[in-house]
Structures are given as C-alpha cells and as structure tokens.
Amino acid sequence: MVFGFWNDQVSLVFALLGESPVEFKDGGPWEVISGIEPIFVAVGSSLVVLFFVIGFCSESVDVKEEMRFEVILRMLIRLGLAEWFVANNVTIMKAVFTSVGNLVGLLSAGNTTKLKIAADQAEIIKDLGFGESLLMLILAALLSIIIIICGFFLIYTVYFRFMKLLIIVPLGSIAYSTMGGNRMVAHTAVTYSKYFLSVVLEAVVMALAIIICNALINAGLPSFTGDYADWTKTLIYLCEMTFTIALTVGTVKGAQSLVSKALGI
C-alpha cells in the first residue's frame, strides 16, 4: 500500500513538472500575476530612463571613454533592448515554460516505473517465521512512515518551485530595466536571468532524479548480499528501497543548486 502511495506521488509530480505556471491550478494564480504585471511594467519603463541617464553620465564623465558615435550607438541599443525586454519578458518566460515542460514530458514518457516488491521477495515474506515476521512488521511500519513523509516532501518541493516562479515573474520588468544602464547596473538583469533559468530547469533535474532513482531500485539487490539468508536479503531490499526514495527526495530538494553549479548560472 505504501508503495502505491509513493507511485501516486511520483505520477502527480511528473504531471506538475510538465505543467507551465500559466496552467497551474487551472490558471488561477497566473491570472493574479497577469493583473499585477502591468504595474511592474510601468515601473520598469520609468526605471529604464533613470538607468539610461545614470549610464550616460557615468560614461560621459569617464576620461578614458571617448564619446564617439559608436559609444552613443551602443547606449541607444541598450536603451532599446531594455524597453523591449521590460515589455516582452513575460512572453519570453512563457516560451521557456513551454519548452521545459515539453522536455520533462519527453523524459517522463514511458519512464515512470511503478515501485513494487519483487515477486521472489514477496514469497520470502510470506514464508517467514513468527520472530522474523514480527521484526519485518516493525521495520515495515517504520519504513512506511519514512516513505509517506518523503512523498509529502516531494510534493512540497514541486509546489514551492511553482511559488518561486510566480513570485519572480513580475520582478522581471524591474530587473531588465537595468539593461539601459552601464555594465555594472546591467549585471542585475544577468543575475535575474540566471536565477530564473535555474528555477525553471529545476523541473528537468527533478524528473531525472526520479527516473534514475527508480532505475536504482529496480536494479535489484547489491552483489554483496549473495551469501545472506533469504529473510536478511528481503530486509536489505526494503531498506535499500526506502534509502533510495529518501535519496530521490534529497536530490529533488537540491535540484536548483545542482542546476546552478552544473551550468554555471
């Protein structure tokens, strides 16, 4: 029964990871963001002018930087890009959401292996004596509690990812308004883009973690258990399944950090 609970949680997680924040909860949270977004766009458009003036002043007073035509043209290009990103950053984000969702869908297609106790291990459990059965019952109850807690943590992590995305989307207009300034000011837009990508690509790492950990579980017992008694093998088998499930949750929780370190963002 507890493995059925875990399988249900994994199926739900894959469904959520393939979903865009635009479609999350039937689009209710996104409607709120869509209503707030114009306010941030208006603020961002105003800040573009402010940051452009700051960038112009900082470069015009720099004795090492000659105010040639190329310099002025570069400033105007930055100004135009800043205005375009402020107005259209949400459209770009929606495209990224869709692309990552499709990638997760491709990864999860046919790879959502259902966890279950192997037939040979089930037979061993049925034939256990009273003492071994009592020990197995106590262990099974403990492992069941751990698996249920891991299942809830898995769902919590996925929901928390959606919350982060919904919160940072409106801030894009303010972050990209800094593109109109000089290099130091424009670094804010780069930092925001890196963080946004790390949160979005969390879904891919989460899906990979679940797929790989399911493969580890289905690979069977380690080779060092060959000389152990049958009931001991079953004990190790159940403990390994629970450990791998806990490992899955740990990898999923650290998905954003893993993306940032692996891709340098």
Side-chain angles (χ1 to χ4, degrees):
M1 183 179 69
V2 70
F3 289 127
F5 171 80
W6 174 258
N7 290 331
D8 291 340
Q9 300 305 300
V10 169
S11 298
L12 177 58
V13 165
F14 274 118
L16 290 172
L17 292 179
E19 216 175 55
S20 167
V22 180
E23 304 161 353
F24 182 59
K25 292 288 185 179
D26 295 327
W30 187 260
E31 288 182 7
V32 176
I33 298 301
S34 298
I36 296 174
E37 174 64 17
I39 300 174
F40 285 86
V41 172
V43 173
S45 299
S46 303
L47 290 175
V48 166
V49 179
L50 175 62
F51 290 130
F52 174 74
V53 172
I54 292 174
F56 177 81
C57 292
S58 64
E59 293 197 15
S60 61
V61 299
D62 189 355
V63 294
K64 296 181 181 179
E65 186 76 37
E66 297 181 12
M67 292 301 294
R68 301 188 303 272
F69 173 76
E70 294 84 356
V71 177
I72 297 174
L73 180 62
R74 186 172 66 242
M75 291 181 182
L76 294 176
I77 290 174
R78 285 206 303 257
L79 177 64
L81 287 174
E83 286 287 0
W84 189 85
F85 272 98
V86 166
N88 298 283
N89 68 92
V90 175
T91 303
I92 298 172
M93 290 179 189
K94 287 181 180 179
V96 175
F97 293 151
T98 302
S99 300
V100 172
N102 292 337
L103 179 57
V104 172
L106 291 173
L107 290 174
S108 61
N111 289 319
T112 53
T113 308
K114 300 294 183 182
L115 294 186
K116 60 181 181 180
I117 298 178
D120 56 338
Q121 302 298 330
E123 287 296 326
I124 293 172
I125 293 174
K126 288 180 182 179
D127 297 334
L128 289 176
F130 176 76
E132 292 87 353
S133 296
L134 183 60
L135 177 62
M136 192 66 67
L137 181 62
I138 295 172
L139 180 65
L142 178 62
L143 297 183
S144 297
I145 294 172
I146 295 174
I147 292 173
I148 290 172
I149 293 173
C150 287
F152 282 118
F153 264 111
L154 197 65
I155 297 299
Y156 167 80
T157 305
V158 174
Y159 268 71
F160 186 56
R161 172 182 173 270
F162 276 111
M163 184 64 69
K164 287 190 290 185
L165 286 173
L166 291 170
I167 290 174
I168 66 176
V169 163
L171 299 177
S173 298
I174 296 177
Y176 288 119
S177 67
T178 61
M179 292 177 64
N182 56 20
R183 293 184 184 90
M184 293 185 63
V185 176
H187 184 68
T188 302
V190 176
T191 303
Y192 174 85
S193 299
K194 288 181 176 181
Y195 182 75
F196 171 76
L197 287 175
S198 69
V199 176
V200 174
L201 291 174
E202 262 188 297
V204 179
V205 175
M206 290 177 180
L208 285 172
I210 295 172
I211 292 169
I212 293 172
C213 287
N214 278 355
L216 288 175
I217 293 174
N218 293 325
L221 286 167
S223 58
F224 67 81
T225 61
D227 298 329
Y228 289 9
D230 289 341
W231 73 273
T232 308
K233 289 182 181 179
T234 303
L235 194 66
I236 295 173
Y237 176 74
L238 293 175
C239 290
E240 186 189 33
M241 289 184 75
T242 307
F243 171 77
T244 309
I245 287 173
L247 181 65
T248 303
V249 175
T251 308
V252 166
K253 285 184 67 65
Q256 183 188 344
S257 175
L258 187 60
V259 171
S260 300
K261 291 178 180 179
L263 302 181
I265 57 177

